[in-house]
Amino acid sequence: MKKALLLVNQHARSGQKLLSQATRELQALGFELIQESTDSPHHIPDAIQRYKNQVDLVIIGGGDGTLNAAIEGLIKTDLPLGILPLGTANDLARTLGIPTSLPEACQVIAAGQIRRIDLGWVNGKYFFNVASLGLSVQITQRLTKEVKRRWGILAYAATALQVIWQSRPFRAEIRVNNQSIRVKTIQIAIGNGRYYGGGMTVAEDATIDDQRLDLYSLETKHWWQIVALLPAMRQGNHASWPGVRALHGQEIEVRTSKSRRINTDGEITTHTPAIFRVIPKALAVFAP
């Protein structure tokens, strides 16, 4: 019988209600569970460290922010991660092909298929999906928990539209693969996985184990051009559009004239100047 540490974000969009259902499903599949409820994601790494010698795996129920909070603990213990997607966007689960239905997500963990995935890293902070500056930071600042709980995935689109028409470009220098590029942009996003921001695609061919980071910079002149771009950004073929610059590499440096905040997996955690790196095959995750 496998022993698992089950951590559920009680504040996730459907956390409380689904905790008992998840417990029943997992026990029926033969897991012995140690449960810890987390009021604050910041306690997750400590909980993982505390139980590292008593469990075989860690199962986390929550959204991308909760999963991101667990990275430090998972890296230090090298315990494999099982994901129950209980958040609003669930971009990491989408990248890995993990179903949003709770019974099916539990089945994926029980099947025991492990995939080693890359992590992104910026100024000492890890991320699964994307790190970005510009537009997305303003969106994050407006996306309150209440808005997300009430509107779900629609909250991202509505907030983005409010922010887009007020956006102002800024100057930045991007250094990648021994070249330096100066840009005037409204957003720079650097992706490790495939999906972010509720189903937007980082790059058409991005995967979470391709050992590279994909960057795009939005250098459009008018707000309505960004709105026109949104369908292409969902499909991932925005790189071919005018006003979009796409680059990739294993290490990328971004400098801005005045320091700008950086959002990692939906939380504002650091600022420019910034060095971004890919950490290949850093974590073991249960995935189909």
Side-chain angles (χ1 to χ4, degrees):
M1 183 181 270
K2 287 215 156 182
K3 278 194 162 179
L5 172 62
L6 174 63
L7 296 160
V8 172
N9 175 5
Q10 306 281 20
H11 305 298
R13 192 148 186 257
S14 16
Q16 195 71 54
K17 182 171 92 252
L18 294 174
L19 176 58
S20 50
Q21 189 192 342
T23 307
R24 285 196 307 274
E25 297 275 353
L26 290 162
Q27 285 169 336
L29 288 164
F31 287 101
E32 189 183 325
L33 300 175
I34 296 175
Q35 278 185 48
E36 282 270 311
S37 81
T38 65
D39 286 337
S40 159
H42 303 299
H43 301 151
I44 294 177
D46 296 340
I48 295 172
Q49 296 258 61
R50 206 162 55 242
Y51 291 105
K52 71 174 182 196
N53 298 321
Q54 298 170 50
V55 297
D56 307 302
L57 66 152
V58 178
I59 299 172
I60 294 181
D64 292 301
T66 309
L67 289 163
N68 180 290
I71 294 177
E72 293 278 352
L74 293 165
I75 283 181
K76 284 180 180 157
T77 58
D78 205 27
L79 286 166
L81 168 66
I83 298 170
L84 302 178
L86 307 182
T88 309
N90 302 314
D91 286 306
L92 178 60
R94 193 187 307 241
T95 291
L96 291 166
I98 293 168
T100 49
S101 126
L102 197 58
E104 289 177 45
C106 293
Q107 288 283 355
V108 167
I109 300 167
Q113 182 76 41
I114 281 188
R115 182 172 171 188
R116 283 207 82 91
I117 64 169
D118 306 336
L119 285 173
W121 176 99
V122 51
N123 293 355
K125 282 277 167 207
Y126 292 101
F127 60 94
F128 283 115
N129 304 322
V130 81
S132 53
L133 55 148
L135 215 51
S136 60
V137 169
Q138 294 159 283
I139 293 170
T140 300
Q141 286 167 321
R142 291 205 191 181
L143 258 182
T144 62
K145 284 193 171 66
E146 288 65 47
V147 171
K148 286 206 284 194
R149 195 169 282 135
R150 187 166 171 197
W151 295 103
I153 205 79
L154 286 174
Y156 285 81
T159 311
L161 289 173
Q162 283 173 356
V163 168
I164 282 168
W165 70 272
Q166 300 167 329
S167 61
R168 296 285 169 274
F170 59 93
R171 292 184 187 281
E173 181 192 0
I174 301 166
R175 293 181 189 173
V176 60
N177 305 328
N178 299 322
Q179 54 179 156
S180 164
I181 303 152
R182 291 182 184 278
V183 299
K184 194 175 175 191
T185 181
I186 54 165
Q187 159 133 318
I188 293 173
I190 293 168
N192 168 55
R194 183 168 176 77
Y195 295 107
Y196 71 100
M200 306 292 253
T201 309
V202 172
E204 214 163 3
D205 59 346
T207 63
I208 200 160
D209 49 12
D210 57 11
Q211 302 186 25
R212 72 172 205 210
L213 297 173
D214 292 280
L215 175 148
Y216 74 76
S217 166
L218 289 185
E219 297 163 24
T220 50
K221 300 277 188 290
H222 307 285
W223 66 267
W224 45 265
Q225 291 171 303
I226 308 161
V227 176
L229 249 177
L230 291 174
M233 291 176 78
R234 286 195 82 78
Q235 288 147 17
N237 55 14
H238 49 279
S240 56
W241 280 57
V244 180
R245 183 188 304 272
L247 303 160
H248 54 83
Q250 290 180 313
E251 183 169 307
I252 299 168
E253 195 175 339
V254 175
R255 295 175 172 273
T256 51
S257 46
K258 73 177 216 299
S259 184
R260 290 195 157 259
R261 287 189 271 194
I262 294 173
N263 161 350
T264 50
D265 289 345
E267 309 286 326
I268 293 163
T269 52
T270 182
H271 51 79
T272 57
I275 292 177
F276 301 80
R277 293 195 183 110
V278 66
I279 316 288
K281 304 206 180 302
L283 280 190
V285 180
F286 293 97

